[in-house]
Amino acid sequence: MNATDLQKIKQRYNIVGNCDKLNRALDVAMQVAPTDLSVLIIGESGVGKEIIPRIIHDNSPRKREKYFAINCGSIPEGTIDSELFGHEKGSFTGAVGESEGYFGVANKGTIFLDEVGELPLATQARLLRVLETGEYIRVGGQKIMKTDVRIVAATNVNMRKAVSEGRFREDLYYRLNTIPIQMPPLRDRAEDILLLFRLFAMQMAEKYNLPKITLADDAKQIMLKYKWPGNVRQLKNITEQMSVLSKEREISAQVLLGFIPQDQESTQLTTLGKQTSGQHSYESERDLLYKILYELRGNVSNLRRELNELKEKLNLNGEAKSIDGTPRSLEQADTHAIVPAIIPTRQQQTVDDEDRMPVVQDAVAEEISEPEKKAEQESLNLENQYRHMLEKALEKNGGNRRKAAQELGISERTLFRRIKQYGLDV
């Protein structure tokens, strides 16, 4: 489409701007208009997606037939099938008569399905059948109805992500996406922002007989740098607010900042990674598992260190007996006493000699012998002595945890965890 024809389209539909991406969207709309191909318009909320289906319908062979614009997100899920495909009398409470639905009324015409990503899955199946065969059945009916409707859909959601999450049918997505049209956000149309502002300011001045507002140079720079999360709709609202509420007709940067939201969370752009949309990141799950295992290893090391500190306080000789009565190192005794208490049933956490990644092994059921019972009893006695020492230290220092921890030679964090474990009343 040449520049002259493009300018005529902009004048006819009151479109302001000369952005390359906008011109491309209008050009594709004019090329696809004479056909019956389905069109999916993709763009953020507020970019003006609703103008594209109007252009397609008005320049198609169906231009003398009916045109319906339907917001799929505004119709309740329980009634949307009836609204789109009609219903029979008595098919549900309140169905006092028959209804043709939009697909029946718009036969030979065009239906614009805005926010098509909000359709329930059951309705998506019905819509797919209409697109493929032109057939549908009314709610509560049995007769197959025929319709010849061209469908233009629009959405502001990531359709590939919705498909991967099971919220939108993949076959319907590809059926609607025969001809995709991408509408650019306002932040990508920097050269059009000031043009749109002047248009909205002039419209407000004429409509309400007000002096037209203008922008100072510093205010223009803020306009160009702002992210415009609400796109053209937000720009129009802010221009209307300033036209009515501002006492100054030349808007300075200070005045403009009073009307532009300063919420950084909603105005900053999100930086997307290189991960392909719809793909599952197994690397992140693996990193998370590694992190959990390392934290678990750290907990075992902390418990081992605490038990060593306790035995030093009790003036133990650093030697304990194994379950068969033979001497073994204190480190081995600590691991045997502590690990089974923190690992879930039927699993045992072991740490190799070099203290590397913990290895999960299946636990083996064993009959507890008398030496094992004796070792267990010694461990319980040790715990009782530890608790008694904590109580005495806290009592001596009047409940001051820091002083008690210093006296015991342990960290304040360890003391707090033991107080909570033993349920001590400080």
Side-chain angles (χ1 to χ4, degrees), residues 155-356:
T155 182
N156 62 356
V157 302
N158 187 329
M159 294 297 286
R160 292 185 180 275
K161 182 179 180 181
V163 169
S164 65
E165 293 176 351
R167 295 184 289 110
F168 201 84
R169 293 178 62 102
E170 185 176 14
D171 46 5
L172 178 59
Y173 166 67
Y174 288 116
R175 189 66 179 80
L176 291 172
N177 198 35
T178 305
I179 302 293
I181 297 179
Q182 182 75 46
M183 289 293 289
L186 185 58
R187 58 180 171 272
D188 292 344
R189 300 170 54 189
E191 63 272 26
D192 297 340
I193 293 177
L194 299 181
L195 292 176
L196 288 167
F197 170 81
R198 287 198 289 268
L199 171 65
F200 298 145
M202 182 180 63
Q203 290 175 345
M204 286 296 294
E206 293 177 352
K207 184 175 182 180
Y208 296 105
N209 195 23
L210 296 170
K212 187 177 73 170
I213 61 174
T214 58
L215 291 174
D217 291 339
D218 53 355
K220 290 180 180 179
Q221 295 302 316
I222 295 177
M223 279 277 195
L224 295 176
K225 293 180 180 179
Y226 186 60
K227 304 301 182 182
W228 298 110
N231 294 293
V232 178
R233 186 181 295 126
Q234 183 187 16
L235 174 60
K236 183 178 181 181
N237 291 344
I238 290 178
T239 305
E240 292 175 346
Q241 292 174 23
M242 292 189 297
S243 297
V244 175
L245 301 178
S246 178
K247 295 180 181 179
E248 302 177 8
R249 293 293 92 184
E250 184 180 31
I251 306 299
S252 63
Q254 184 177 1
V255 174
L256 178 59
L257 290 175
F259 290 91
I260 290 181
Q262 298 301 308
D263 182 8
Q264 295 297 320
E265 296 295 330
S266 64
T267 58
Q268 289 185 347
L269 292 177
T270 302
T271 302
L272 298 179
K274 296 182 179 180
Q275 180 178 332
T276 305
S277 177
Q279 290 185 349
H280 190 73
S281 176
Y282 293 99
E283 288 82 2
S284 60
E285 289 188 359
R286 183 181 61 190
D287 293 342
L288 180 60
L289 289 174
Y290 283 167
K291 181 180 179 182
I292 293 174
L293 290 174
Y294 274 117
E295 289 178 353
L296 183 59
R297 183 190 65 178
N299 291 337
V300 174
S301 299
N302 290 338
L303 289 172
R304 180 190 304 161
R305 185 175 59 254
E306 291 174 17
L307 194 56
N308 287 337
E309 293 174 356
L310 176 62
K311 289 186 176 182
E312 290 175 359
K313 282 292 179 180
L314 294 175
N315 295 322
L316 295 179
N317 58 8
E319 185 179 61
K321 291 184 178 181
S322 63
I323 58 175
D324 58 0
T326 58
R328 61 179 177 178
S329 66
L330 179 60
E331 180 178 339
Q332 291 173 331
D334 296 343
T335 306
H336 177 76
I338 299 300
V339 171
I342 64 172
I343 302 302
T345 306
R346 296 188 60 82
Q347 287 187 340
Q348 180 177 359
Q349 183 75 33
T350 60
V351 182
D352 59 17
D353 295 336
E354 298 179 3
D355 201 24
R356 294 192 298 269

Side-chain angles (χ1 to χ4, degrees), residues 8 13 24 41 78 91 111 138 155 175 203 219 232 267 309 323 365 392:
K8 289 181 180 179
Y13 294 96
R24 172 61 180 167
I41 307 165
S91 57
I111 290 182
R138 294 177 181 173
T155 182
R175 189 66 179 80
Q203 290 175 345
V232 178
T267 58
E309 293 174 356
I323 58 175
K392 287 296 183 181

Side-chain angles (χ1 to χ4, degrees), residues 85-121:
F85 307 106
H87 61 260
E88 299 291 342
K89 180 179 179 180
S91 57
F92 56 88
T93 303
V96 296
E98 294 183 354
S99 172
E100 292 187 57
Y102 287 114
F103 279 95
V105 176
N107 188 33
K108 304 296 183 181
T110 305
I111 290 182
F112 170 44
L113 297 177
D114 197 8
E115 307 300 342
V116 70
E118 303 296 329
L119 284 176
L121 288 173

